[in-house]
């Protein structure tokens, strides 16, 4: 099937001429990319919406695209994503179920029941000592919460009411808010120091753990624990700012960006979750103690970094021997998480140039949509119909990243 994501055409490997259905079904129109160059670096690249010229060749396009009706396009793509991804989401894999709640929102259901309730009732247990809702492994050997407070962050981000009552798998009723980690278990500023022991190369102490507990507190905590949250956010901002120094040096010198698996590149999803948590904390009570100049500079660096990483992935996609399935997965992870971050930034009082922000948002949305479309045409989601617990790790990762992109689209509705 020949289909178009704006001016970028993709050919389905089956070769049908049908022009309906699929992620590409909504019309989009071309828009010139914004100009401008970072100080000391190269000019900003045109947004590169990917295209599939044949089953063997993928190349980067040249222009950014926006929808003639952006809201309608987002809703259409989100509906298609749910149609593609949900058949195998049966509740047997709690990690995937949590990501489905994040991507599709608190109203997402598996059968007749809300997915977030199934996650607690099937996989959650109320700890008799702490009263916190904790989660077991599902499937066996695969943790539902590989990151401290993942489920709480998911629920808070998806809009689940923390006052809602739910029955856990051990028969105990609890408020959903009890899934959140008590402040006594939060990382401390000392845990974020360069001298603190760490499991991640080049990352101080428990910096990666901050992302989950900080965002939950910012979204659910309100005025509670304002001082603790502020101190944790300050420590996280300082730590993340330091990890971005090599990126700042690369931008200033015009050097290539080195993705060496250390520092910010060792953080979960490249530090996107931590960046979002800091921005969410800035918008919450007590956020005024965070230095706006430092936040703005960090956001500038994050945008430059995104452009360079996307360029790098798209350059590899045209190499004849490339593993395009893996590269498209990386592209989806990058664009989906960055779209989420753009939406979090939107309410953080950091946007000075609204028109420039909207232009970038349109570009990134088009990249997420185009990547999903090519993955769909290549059959990446076609086999996700069996029980989730039997999915391969590659499929779980791909769907998880697709659901982050879905959340970014949903936040625009």
């Amino acid at each position: 099937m020949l289909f178009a994501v704006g001016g970028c055409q993709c050919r389905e490997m089956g070769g049908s001429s049908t022009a309906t259905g699929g992620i590409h079904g909504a019309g989009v129109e071309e828009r010139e990319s914004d100009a401008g160059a970072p100080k000391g670096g190269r000019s900003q690249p045109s947004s590169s919406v990917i295209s599939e010229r044949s089953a063997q060749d993928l190349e980067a396009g040249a222009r950014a695209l926006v929808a003639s009706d952006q809201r309608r396009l987002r809703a259409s793509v989100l509906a298609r994503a749910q149609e593609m991804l949900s058949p195998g989401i049966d509740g047997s894999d709690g990690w995937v179920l949590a990501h489905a709640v994040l991507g599709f929102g608190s109203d997402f259901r598996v059968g007749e029941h809300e997915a977030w309730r199934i996650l607690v009732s099937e996989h959650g247990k109320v700890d008799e000592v702490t009263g916190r809702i904790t989660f077991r492994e599902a499937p066996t050997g695969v943790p539902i919460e590989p990151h401290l407070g993942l489920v709480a962050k998911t629920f808070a981000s998806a809009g689940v009411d923390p006052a809602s009552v739910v029955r856990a798998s051990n028969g105990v009723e609890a408020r959903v808010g009890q899934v959140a980690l008590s402040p006594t278990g939060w990382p401390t500023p000392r845990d974020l120091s360069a001298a603190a022991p760490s499991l991640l190369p080049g990352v101080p102490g428990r910096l990666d753990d901050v992302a989950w507990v900080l965002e939950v507190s910012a979204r659910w905590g309100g005025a509670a624990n304002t001082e603790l949250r502020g101190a944790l956010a300050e420590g996280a901002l300082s730590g993340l700012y330091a990890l971005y120094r090599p990126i700042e040096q690369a931008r200033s010198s015009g050097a290539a960006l080195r993705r060496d698996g250390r520092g910010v590149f060792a953080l979960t999803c490249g530090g996107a979750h931590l960046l979002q948590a800091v921005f969410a904390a800035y918008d919450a009570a007590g956020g005024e103690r965070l230095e706006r100049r430092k936040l703005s500079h960090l956001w500038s660096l994050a945008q430059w970094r995104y452009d360079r990483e996307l360029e790098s992935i798209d350059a590899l996609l045209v190499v004849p021997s490339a593993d395009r399935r893996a590269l498209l997965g990386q592209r989806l992870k990058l664009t989906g998480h960055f779209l989420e971050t753009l939406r979090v930034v939107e309410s953080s009082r950091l946007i000075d140039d609204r028109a420039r922000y909207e232009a970038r948002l349109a570009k990134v949305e088009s990249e997420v949509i185009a990547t999903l479309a090519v993955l769909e045409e290549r059959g990446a989601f076609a086999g996700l119909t069996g029980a989730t617990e039997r999915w391969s790790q590659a499929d779980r990762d791909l769907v998880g990243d697709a659901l982050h992109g879905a959340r970014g689209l949903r936040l625009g509705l």
Side-chain angles (χ1 to χ4, degrees):
M1 160 169 36
L2 189 68
F3 71 91
V5 182
C8 165
Q9 292 185 328
C10 305
R11 183 178 301 277
E12 183 185 46
M13 288 177 280
S16 167
S17 61
T18 305
T20 59
I23 282 178
H24 50 275
V28 291
E29 62 189 27
E30 295 180 353
R31 175 172 179 163
E32 295 301 324
S33 61
D34 60 340
K39 185 176 181 180
R42 294 174 292 171
S43 61
Q44 289 284 358
S46 300
S47 177
S48 52
V49 178
I50 60 176
S51 63
E52 184 176 8
R53 294 198 313 186
S54 71
Q56 302 300 319
D57 186 23
L58 286 170
E59 66 175 18
R63 284 175 289 186
L65 310 172
V66 298
S68 56
D69 182 340
Q70 290 178 318
R71 186 180 180 88
R72 180 165 55 85
L73 177 64
R74 291 177 195 126
S76 175
V77 174
L78 194 60
R80 178 57 184 158
Q82 187 165 331
E83 182 182 345
M84 286 193 309
L85 302 179
S86 62
I89 300 178
D90 57 1
S92 59
D93 184 323
W95 182 89
V96 172
L97 192 59
H99 278 71
V101 174
L102 179 73
F104 299 136
S106 59
D107 293 335
F108 177 68
R109 292 174 176 269
V110 174
E112 298 180 355
H113 303 287
E114 292 164 314
W116 63 265
R117 288 189 179 275
I118 295 175
L119 181 56
V120 177
S121 64
E122 293 293 323
H123 303 287
K125 179 180 179 181
V126 178
D127 187 284
E128 295 181 358
V129 177
T130 65
R132 181 173 178 251
I133 303 173
T134 59
F135 294 86
R136 59 182 175 82
E137 294 180 342
T140 302
V142 180
I144 292 173
E145 289 197 294
H147 310 296
L148 185 70
L150 180 147
V151 173
K153 187 267 186 188
T154 294
F155 286 0
S157 300
V160 178
D161 184 354
S164 297
V165 176
V166 65
R167 185 182 298 275
S169 64
N170 59 342
V172 180
E173 287 192 341
R175 292 179 297 101
V176 171
Q178 290 172 234
V179 72
L181 191 72
S182 166
T184 59
W186 291 3
T188 67
R190 180 177 296 179
D191 293 329
L192 309 185
S193 69
S198 172
L199 297 176
L200 300 177
V203 177
R206 295 177 60 191
L207 184 60
D208 197 34
D209 283 343
V210 174
W212 322 95
V213 297
L214 184 58
E215 188 162 353
V216 172
S217 177
R219 296 187 182 282
W220 270 355
N225 302 310
T226 299
E227 288 300 316
L228 282 174
R229 180 171 62 242
L232 187 59
E234 282 186 312
L237 174 58
S238 294
L240 191 55
Y241 199 82
L243 293 187
Y244 261 83
R245 284 190 188 123
I247 295 171
E248 181 176 30
Q249 292 167 0
R251 184 174 73 167
S252 299
S253 66
L257 188 63
R258 292 183 58 195
R259 297 175 60 188
D260 56 2
R262 297 184 57 81
V264 71
F265 295 108
L267 290 172
T268 306
C269 295
H273 296 295
L274 185 56
L275 193 63
Q276 292 168 24
V278 170
F279 290 146
Y282 180 61
D283 198 41
E288 61 275 0
R289 66 188 289 173
L290 297 179
E291 188 177 346
R292 191 182 193 282
R293 180 196 61 81
K294 186 177 286 188
L295 280 166
S296 295
H297 188 57
L298 182 61
W299 177 228
S300 174
L301 291 172
Q303 293 175 83
W304 182 85
R305 171 192 164 189
Y306 166 81
D307 291 334
R308 300 290 84 73
E309 289 201 59
L310 188 61
E311 279 184 331
S312 175
I313 293 171
D314 282 349
L316 291 172
L317 275 169
V318 300
V319 176
S321 60
D323 183 348
R324 293 180 177 84
R325 168 64 166 71
L327 287 168
L328 285 168
Q330 291 180 30
R331 199 179 201 278
L332 185 60
K333 179 186 290 291
L334 175 67
T335 57
H337 281 79
F338 193 68
L339 179 56
E340 273 191 306
T341 309
L342 276 165
R343 285 299 181 185
V344 174
V345 163
E346 187 172 22
S347 62
S348 69
R349 298 175 281 126
L350 285 173
I351 300 174
D352 293 323
D353 188 334
R354 175 59 58 172
R356 189 173 182 84
Y357 167 81
E358 293 291 347
R360 178 170 282 276
L361 178 65
K363 287 181 181 182
V364 178
E365 282 189 331
S366 71
E367 300 293 2
V368 172
I369 293 169
T371 311
L372 284 169
V374 174
L375 281 163
E376 179 193 11
E377 294 303 310
R378 296 176 75 85
F381 305 114
L384 304 179
T385 55
T388 319
E389 64 181 354
R390 292 198 292 272
W391 287 3
S392 69
Q393 186 60 50
D395 284 340
R396 295 174 82 248
D397 291 341
L398 183 66
V399 170
D401 291 328
L403 288 164
H404 280 285
R407 182 196 176 211
L409 292 168
R410 178 173 58 82
L411 292 176
L413 298 179

